[in-house]
Amino acid sequence: MKIVELNVRSHKRCEMIDITAEIGRILREKELRNGTITLYTPHTTAAITINENADPDVLHDMLYGLSKLVPLDPQFQHAEGNSDAHIKGSLIGASEILLVEAGKLQLGTWQGVYFCEFDGPRSRRVKIKLSES
Ligand code: ZN
């Protein structure tokens, strides 16, 4: 199957955007029953992750925790001034693989799929490859 692109608009510098429903819509549109979905974001200051979708405080705390882990540091040399975003992007990672069975994403009860923005607001893309197996 061809690669599908999902456009994501972020509204803050750092933000976790739930894209689970969009992934489910693409799954139904492309009629993938059994297989895998690979998500990949072609950006150096963004990431994809899977985490809790029940308590929004978890998303807040993840962003807060990452900002404590990688604060903006005056000794960073990169002229764009967004080295913290590059580091966070690599820490979280640009891709995820999701399992699909009987036409359904095999996520845990409390899991959602998130696009992670670390240098927004921007217009972003997620490339999605559906593989039947
Ligand atoms: Zn940069």
Side-chain angles (χ1 to χ4, degrees):
M1 261 186 239
K2 278 178 64 179
I3 291 174
V4 181
E5 275 205 3
L6 176 67
N7 294 308
V8 180
R9 177 82 217 169
S10 63
H11 299 280
K12 299 176 186 170
R13 180 156 196 268
C14 294
E15 186 176 8
M16 291 179 69
I17 300 169
D18 189 342
I19 57 170
T20 315
E22 282 88 345
I23 305 300
R25 177 180 53 75
I26 290 165
L27 188 66
R28 286 187 297 277
E29 273 176 19
K30 301 296 175 186
E31 298 178 346
L32 178 66
R33 295 290 302 158
N34 296 293
T36 56
I37 299 179
T38 305
L39 305 176
Y40 175 77
T41 190
H43 303 289
T44 60
T45 55
I48 309 274
T49 196
I50 297 165
N51 215 292
E52 175 160 334
N53 67 355
D55 179 359
D57 285 345
V58 171
L59 304 179
H60 169 275
D61 292 353
M62 285 184 68
L63 292 174
Y64 175 72
L66 281 168
S67 74
K68 297 289 276 186
L69 203 60
V70 190
L72 271 170
D73 187 319
Q75 292 197 50
F76 286 151
Q77 295 183 1
H78 175 45
E80 279 186 316
N82 61 353
S83 290
D84 63 321
H86 288 287
I87 294 167
K88 290 172 189 172
S90 276
L91 280 175
I92 301 298
S95 64
E96 286 286 352
I97 295 172
L98 307 175
L99 304 177
V100 178
E101 194 171 86
K104 287 191 171 176
L105 282 177
Q106 299 299 297
L107 290 168
T109 308
W110 310 112
Q111 286 183 318
V113 183
Y114 290 90
F115 178 86
C116 306
E117 175 63 80
F118 297 123
D119 196 28
R122 293 184 195 224
S123 191
R124 301 291 206 171
R125 290 175 298 141
V126 177
K127 291 176 180 275
I128 300 167
K129 175 80 178 176
L130 293 88
S131 306
E132 195 91 47
S133 63

